[in-house]
Amino acid sequence: MYKPKILLVTKSTGVYQMFRDQITDYFDDYIHLVDGTKVGMECHPDLVLASYREVVKESEFPPEKLLVARRTVDLSKVGALIALSPGTRCLVVNNSYDTALETISCLENLGLNLELLPYNPEIDALPRDVDVALVAETGKEFVPDSIHRIVYIGMRPIDYATILEIGFRLGIPIPEPQVYSSNYIRQIVQLSGQLSRALENERDLNRQLDAIFHTVHDGLIGLDKRGEIIQANQSAHKILGRGPLVSPLLGQKVDDVFPGIEMSDISDQETIQQLDDRYFVMNRSNLDEGRLGSVIAFQDVTRLQKLEQDFRKRVQAKGLMTRYSEESIIASSEKMLKTISVMRKIARTDRTVIILGESGTGKELFAHTIHKLSDRRHGPFLPVNFAGLPETLAESELFGYAEGAFTGARRGGKPGLFELAHNGTLFLDEIGDASPSIQALLLRVLQERHVMRVGGDQVIPVDVRIVAATNRDLRDLVREGKFRHDLYYRLFVLPLYIPSLRERREDIPLLVEHFVRQYSGGRLDVSPDVMDKLVAYDWPGNVRELEAAAQYMTSVAEGQVVTVDDLPHQLFQLSADDSEEIMDDDDILHRSDAKMLRVILECMDWAKSHGMSRLGRSAIVAFARQKQIVVSEQQVRNRMVILRELGLIETGNRRQGSWITAKGEQALKRIRDRMRGDA
């Protein structure tokens, strides 16, 4: 899967490692990081993240790709600064003068009584009466020899706003704003607890807490045990639109500040809370000691919520999101549970999948679920059905077209489905119906992992996982020359077979109850005799036919129970389980599919009389068309299962074809005699 590339531009290995660890911790493995000290723009990054502002003047990085990180204070080091005597003159040492000034700006917000002086190695004159240096973990080598006391203030980490901007610039979906880790807030609470134990009186505690509160961009409110605000930082006043001197928060009840938000619902886990037309991410940490009862941290994420909603709307408008998940699969049978287990394993890989099964078994549902369970779940999901895609449009739909490619082409061209599915999954439904020319183009994309728009000359790399599906036997199509063998082997990497409904009859009651409840609003039950008939029926249309039957039954049923009178017509026909009894009575003509069964037997009988002992399904389809009967290979396959169970035909191993048995010949003779007698 393609990962957006970030070029990290820093002045030290320590800062690079800190940035790398922080970004990796947040974005997991969705981003590829490159060290800017080793490579430059030749790595073609999607974003350049710099740790210092001078890079804007010093480099030739494209402005649209450059982001200078906003940085904050390492709160774990604040205790060492508090230990310094008031009025202490301190050098703030850094290899960059501008960075030293930025560090001073952050430290001044602490409210400590210290005199902070910027210093870097290029400064010739050392200020007098200075014996303390404040340095990051890796800045000791820049400290003048005359300084004998070094206080390590740590390296300044990236703040949350920069983390979010990285995500939005690279188009990485952020499903929930509350994924922001609470580590930073926990540092504040832990440090507050340390101070409360170390300082002797409440005034000093409040002063130190106040200093800590003002170092962060989050809104922070300290509450006493009665829920009254006794501490509030500048960010809290700013976020809530209250000036500290005009409308201070101190002394107010927190319920009055956040009306309509139930404070008992705020815990140490971030949650989204709405106040009028604004959204806040809030969490609460309780303290056991001192007057301070708890600390509430909050951020205004209204803009982020809007960005997220806009992103989701754009994705949904393009139909790029999955509609189903594993919860949509209703099953308890051993066959289906095994299929689901295999599906979960397949989903964890990034390899090509081919889903096999009869029409109506739910292949698309499994394709959606595989995407939902995969590492690409935050990327797009696009389905394309080759059975309903005209060959004249297929190429431009799949690969897009360039401006002016043909009359009526959209200005600026149009991306194809492969481009739109970049970093996601493309579902190729009914792949067996793809034309030979489209098969050749698909093979090229699967081999080379890039596309070229119709009428274009630019090669566009794509990172797409392919999930294909078919109800046809591709091996038969390969033998008949209708499907490319090289594409067949490209697709058959991870095959997943979905059982037909008659192979998992144990699931029929579950599905019936689900659909009846869905389409009746829960007002109808199904009588036992109706359920017996539903379980006995063969369901050639599988789950799709069962759902249609449920819609029919819930539409015509009267009262509160579905009865036999409410069944669709096809349910009155006997199922394959009753087939032997049918033949004993010579009553095969009473089946709704009697004509198709008879044609299959006639075809095999004709073939045997002409020296052809075995036939494939395609030959039977051709024979049926001569009899003015239009039938698909899948329909032939379903009926051949019935005839085989009756002992009227047999099928060889390894695709050796099928042939009529002696019992089948006798049955065909009786059917013909019966038809002549009826005539």
Side-chain angles (χ1 to χ4, degrees), residues 310-428:
D310 290 345
F311 176 83
R312 289 182 179 272
K313 287 178 181 177
R314 290 196 304 270
V315 170
Q316 289 172 342
K318 294 178 180 178
L320 308 184
M321 297 186 73
T322 53
R323 302 193 307 274
Y324 308 111
S325 62
E326 188 174 344
E327 290 72 25
S328 305
I329 303 174
I330 299 172
S332 63
S333 63
E334 183 179 350
K335 277 194 174 183
M336 278 298 285
L337 293 180
K338 183 176 180 181
T339 301
I340 293 170
S341 175
V342 173
M343 175 198 67
R344 292 185 186 128
K345 298 173 184 177
I346 285 174
R348 290 197 294 266
T349 75
D350 204 37
R351 301 186 180 98
T352 299
V353 180
I354 180 87
I355 304 176
L356 308 169
E358 297 178 9
S359 179
T361 51
K363 295 186 290 296
E364 183 175 359
L365 187 154
F366 275 84
H368 282 254
T369 304
I370 288 171
H371 174 76
K372 197 83 169 182
L373 295 176
S374 73
D375 290 339
R376 295 175 179 262
R377 57 188 172 274
H378 296 307
F381 176 90
L382 274 82
V384 54
N385 191 315
F386 286 95
L389 187 64
E391 183 176 358
T392 53
L393 297 178
E395 184 175 359
S396 61
E397 284 296 311
L398 287 169
F399 309 109
Y401 56 78
E403 182 174 352
F406 49 80
T407 302
R410 180 189 301 176
R411 185 174 182 181
K414 177 186 175 183
L417 295 177
F418 272 97
E419 286 182 64
L420 293 174
H422 183 61
N423 286 340
T425 302
L426 185 59
F427 176 42
L428 307 178

Side-chain angles (χ1 to χ4, degrees), residues 452-518:
M452 183 181 294
R453 294 184 181 182
V454 176
D457 56 5
Q458 181 182 2
V459 173
I460 303 171
V462 290
D463 178 23
V464 176
R465 183 186 193 177
I466 297 297
V467 176
T470 182
N471 60 11
R472 306 180 68 178
D473 192 324
L474 294 185
R475 287 173 294 187
D476 281 351
L477 295 180
V478 169
R479 279 192 292 269
E480 295 167 10
K482 297 177 181 178
F483 200 86
R484 295 179 63 103
H485 70 278
D486 42 10
L487 179 58
Y488 171 85
Y489 291 114
R490 282 281 179 181
L491 293 175
F492 265 78
V493 179
L494 296 176
L496 179 68
Y497 175 73
I498 313 300
S500 64
L501 200 50
R502 63 182 171 277
E503 295 177 83
R504 53 180 187 113
R505 294 182 186 274
E506 310 97 293
D507 293 332
I508 292 177
L510 287 176
L511 290 163
V512 170
E513 291 173 1
H514 169 76
F515 289 131
V516 168
R517 183 170 59 250
Q518 176 182 342

